[in-house]
Amino acid sequence: MADILRGLMDFMAWPSPLFMALGALLGMLFGFIPGLGGAQALALLTPVTFGMPPNQAMAMMIGAMGAVPFGGSISAILINTPGTPQNAATTFDGFPLTKQGKAGFALGASASSSVMGALFGVVVLAVLIPLGKPVVLAFSYPEYFMMAFMGISVIAVVSLGSIWKGLAAGVFGLLLSTVGYDPVTGSVRYTMGFEYLYDGIKIVPALIGLFAISESLEMMIKGRDLDTGNKAIGNVGSGVWEGIMATFKHWWLFIRCSVIGVIIGIIPGVGGSVSNFLAYGHAVQTTKDNPHFGQGDVRGVIAPQASDTAKDGGAMVPTILFGIPGSVETAVLLGALILHGLQPGPKLLLDNPTIVYVMIFALVASNVLAGVLGILGARYLAKLTLLPVKLTSPVIIALALMGAYATNGVLEDVILALVFGVIGYFMNKYGFTRVPLVIALVLGTMFQQTYHQTISSMGWQGFFKRPISLGLFLVTVVMLVTPFIKARQDRIRKAKKEGEMYEA
Amino acid sequence: MKLKGNAIFELFLIALSAGMFIVSFTYNPRARFAPELLSVLMFFLTMLLFLGENIPFFQKRMKFMNQRGFFTKTESEGDNRARVKEQSSSGEPAQSEPRPASGSGSGAAFKENLKLIRLLLWLILFAVMLRYVSYLITVPVWLLLFIKLESERSWLQSGLVAVGMGIFDYVLFAVLLRATF
Amino acid sequence: MTPKRIKRHSAIALLLIFMLLWGAGCGSSAAKDNAGKDGAGAAGKTVDFPTKDITFIVPVSPGGGYDTYSRILAQYMPKYLPKPVNIIIKNMPGGEWNIGLGELNRAKPDGYTIGIFNIPGNVVNQIMGASYDLNKMTWIGRVTDTVYVGALSPKSKFKTLEDLKKADEVKVGVVGLSSTAGLGSLIALQEMGIKAKFVTHPGSTEAVMAAIRGDVDYVQYPYPTLKKFIVDSQQLNPIIIFYPERHKDLPNVPTVKEAGYSQLLDVVKADYLVGGTPGIPPEIAKILRDAFQQTMKDPEVMKKMEEFGQPARPASDEEAARIIADSLKVFGKYKDLVAQNQK
């Protein structure tokens, strides 16, 4: 308790809050720009914080880390491009809302669910530090596999339009994820002689292509502005307050999605790329009253954002308990701690408990700050969607391609983004949803590797002998089967009513 | 028989999966397990789509191809309308009536393809410029030209956007990120 | 609040952040101005180097050991250059180092692009057909070499090296078999006659985590990677150390020499080398080499590296070139073993 107080005092000591605020602004900016994310923000801040005492340095770095998920949701909602891969699911309903002229509403919902999710994550972190160890140790290869499996089966649930095209897109994504090093034997596949492809198709440029580039291409070719459908064109920024309240209105969904985020954060190596899909799929699955997911349902914004920020609190558990980074961001953070002479891992909590609490407070504060800024700015940000497409599209393209380029400074990333831009454009044009492709591409490698890990260390029985793995498997099966049965029942009922079975 | 755009795209996917299937045999047995399985699956899925959508013979016999996504289970009227609007606005001919969309639209489709090619050339220009001149020049110059020539806006507008983005890029990438590319 | 005012506020806030970061950069370089003076004299010949920032390529993602050592160097080395330009870290992960090293190999040989190397990992890549030739690189020096430690999971049924030799199958956690650590595990276990089954992981942390959970029996990693699991806490049990004498932090752990496998000493190790593009003019290379050696003697640098778990063990550029030549010879022998295990 005394440590918590001392941590709070340390965090409040000037100029730590200032550095936290600067970090948060930077984090929001990096989150917003597709291609740049938390890892880049932290890598940038590492040399800047060299000269600072550890408390201030951590306040600044965690400040940046905490604000990234919300920053990324802004571009997901406004320009249909996830600012970071973790925001991919936010585009599914965030952008349709923008198309309907409800950008302010979506931004408000994203801000409030992000802030509340972060608070939830941190509270769980504080409670869970003593219990974290068994949780971390309970998840092994089969559980990882089942989580990837669960994430991939979300495809069946979220495909709009033809289910067959959705499945084809998903299989296409899985097939593309086999490019590069085979995770088992280390031989390379489908690289066509390019060294660049050895590590497989990189997610960030692929996302930039599939979303930012293909969306801009389409809008320019159609020559239609974003809000042509919207009569009350001056009102895009309104509804921010309703958006904020939406999180509270759907508080039970919010809590469930935050729990998903925290649990996935705790498990090292799974990370945010799964949690947002699982939360989204969960929301789609469990919503009974009047769902219109994929066409602008605010619950489709709340769910991934809540799990995204809640995950950050969870990711601190393995970092603090084991010295094992739970995500790319925490990996950079661990490097920075070492440079400041702090040894991450179990000893940190014993030797330097205050710094741990400074990190926790900074995480909360930066999320609150980002959320408040987002809420204040939402109505103005929303107005951006009213600008003519002929002006915004080239800017989005330039920004997105530069973001792809800046992550590693290699031109191949730009070319990959262009290729995926064309693929995404045609997929969209011919009724293949891009969502299954993204989910499969992100989770494919993990799916494959954990499968082989399980087989080689435990045999196929490993999947079903362990209670958590078996439980996850059953949940997935139920998730896949129920809508099918329900749809059938609905159809039969409807057929009875109309007196005809099929009308194609 | 004249092939429509979606048929060409589906043929492309079929060819791709077949190609990947064949290539996978050059890998060792453990490494080719996943790609082999997936490419076969993909081959049959896309084949099914191609036949069901484009060959009238199969179209009549594969009604199940019209199965919609699972989660839009409430087939209320309002919902349906929203989806049709969504699809037609995203360029896909509404699936229940695929025929009439093609006939009158071939001129428009040609224009659309032409525009796509032009835009792709612009994008390739961006990549080429990135390769040979610094991004600090690429971004403003490309934006200036694009907005003036492609978007047909005034020099003033394109100039303002170009300068603004140029400064933003300079501050973000050169100053903050110390980018050395 | 009016929209205008908010816009102005956010503009001012952004401006502030940029000014602050800009200022931080300028401030630190101004402080370095005085210290660099005598470095210029040592260069002898009057070459105007450096006149702009130097890029330091790190071919792995930020956060790990190679990245940390590179960042320590990038922070302190400018002090010893004739002119205190910035040394900018550029992480270029991918292709098991090949992407970053390919870029380094293609860069202009003007001394403004240098980078860190991982030996024998990069040597193995070259043997397996990478685009660069390590013999031709302009070597600057060695930062350190690491000591490898083999450790058992506390949940494993094996407790000693003897148990492992008797076992029918030992599960070993690795990243990939062509990585330095993976190859080291492969060769060491083969030479010791242990029947290993390798379980691959996306990164070393995942492999270590698997050992903590008890899903694999054995992991073999550099001491700095394992330090927090075997010294700071007892989450893994060290059973062997690949070093000629006992380590001061691990006095009870037998060395590979005691176990009777001295031949492994040349194989199971990793050198952290710093080098540049092939063909950097000798006078510029000399400036870099001198600055590097001075940096490695800086007490603060030594302290930071020691804290990280592996003290600095600098060596000259000639030594670095010799390490490369030796390594190429040693691993040529194991080429078939590697190729065979990639099947």
Side-chain angles (χ1 to χ4, degrees), chain A residues 38-357:
Chain A
Q40 281 82 19
L42 291 185
L44 159 70
L45 287 177
T46 309
V48 175
T49 55
F50 264 147
M52 298 181 188
N55 284 340
Q56 294 169 14
M58 280 305 120
M60 192 161 191
M61 297 185 82
I62 300 271
M65 201 175 108
V68 167
F70 175 65
S73 79
I74 300 176
S75 36
I77 290 168
L78 294 183
I79 58 176
N80 196 19
T81 304
T84 69
Q86 286 97 306
N87 299 106
T90 312
T91 58
F92 301 169
D93 275 290
F95 187 65
L97 279 170
T98 297
K99 269 185 177 166
Q100 295 161 20
K102 293 183 190 158
F105 179 58
L107 284 173
S110 164
S112 64
S113 56
S114 300
V115 173
M116 299 291 295
L119 286 175
F120 188 91
V122 165
V123 169
V124 172
L125 165 66
V127 177
L128 218 96
I129 281 191
L131 296 172
K133 208 159 181 166
V135 177
V136 175
L137 292 181
F139 284 81
S140 179
Y141 314 125
E143 285 80 19
Y144 281 49
F145 173 80
M146 286 303 169
M147 275 196 285
F149 179 49
M150 216 166 156
I152 288 174
S153 46
V154 168
I155 289 173
V157 189
V158 300
S159 303
L160 269 180
S162 162
I163 183 71
W164 297 98
K165 289 190 168 179
L167 283 178
V171 175
F172 186 37
L174 283 177
L175 193 55
L176 287 179
S177 78
T178 64
V179 171
Y181 281 114
D182 157 42
V184 191
T185 60
S187 53
V188 287
R189 304 177 293 198
Y190 303 123
T191 57
M192 299 173 282
F194 295 114
E195 232 164 43
Y196 170 75
L197 287 175
Y198 277 24
D199 280 318
I201 288 170
K202 296 218 183 92
I203 301 300
V204 170
L207 280 179
I208 287 174
L210 280 174
F211 288 98
I213 305 296
S214 72
E215 194 67 36
S216 305
L217 280 177
E218 194 195 314
M219 286 200 294
M220 280 190 294
I221 286 170
K222 296 278 166 207
R224 95 188 121 83
D225 288 347
L226 262 178
D227 281 301
T228 41
N230 185 35
K231 299 280 179 290
I233 225 160
N235 289 335
V236 287
S238 68
V240 178
W241 182 248
E242 286 81 352
I244 297 169
M245 294 319 284
T247 303
F248 296 97
K249 206 173 125 203
H250 303 292
W251 62 274
W252 181 227
L253 174 73
F254 158 79
I255 288 183
R256 282 173 299 164
C257 291
S258 302
V259 171
I260 292 175
V262 170
I263 292 175
I264 288 182
I266 292 176
I267 307 165
V270 180
S273 43
V274 188
S275 72
N276 68 95
F277 295 135
L278 282 186
Y280 184 83
H282 174 75
V284 171
Q285 272 288 300
T286 55
T287 304
K288 301 224 161 45
D289 53 317
N290 190 28
H292 37 96
F293 286 98
Q295 297 146 13
D297 193 312
V298 73
R299 285 164 291 199
V301 173
I302 293 170
Q305 280 306 120
S307 80
D308 242 8
T309 48
K311 164 212 90 205
D312 284 342
M316 303 286 275
V317 174
T319 314
I320 292 170
L321 283 179
F322 294 89
I324 281 186
S327 57
V328 191
E329 286 88 351
T330 40
V332 186
L333 196 71
L334 284 185
L337 278 169
I338 291 163
L339 285 177
H340 282 282
L342 297 165
Q343 196 54 246
K347 267 181 93 182
L348 188 64
L349 202 57
L350 293 176
D351 297 350
N352 256 315
T354 48
I355 190 92
V356 174
Y357 289 106

Side-chain angles (χ1 to χ4, degrees), chain B residues 24-41:
Chain B
S24 75
F25 280 97
T26 59
Y27 308 129
N28 67 66
R30 282 172 83 190
R32 72 168 174 246
F33 170 67
E36 218 162 76
L37 189 82
L38 291 168
S39 53
V40 169
L41 206 60

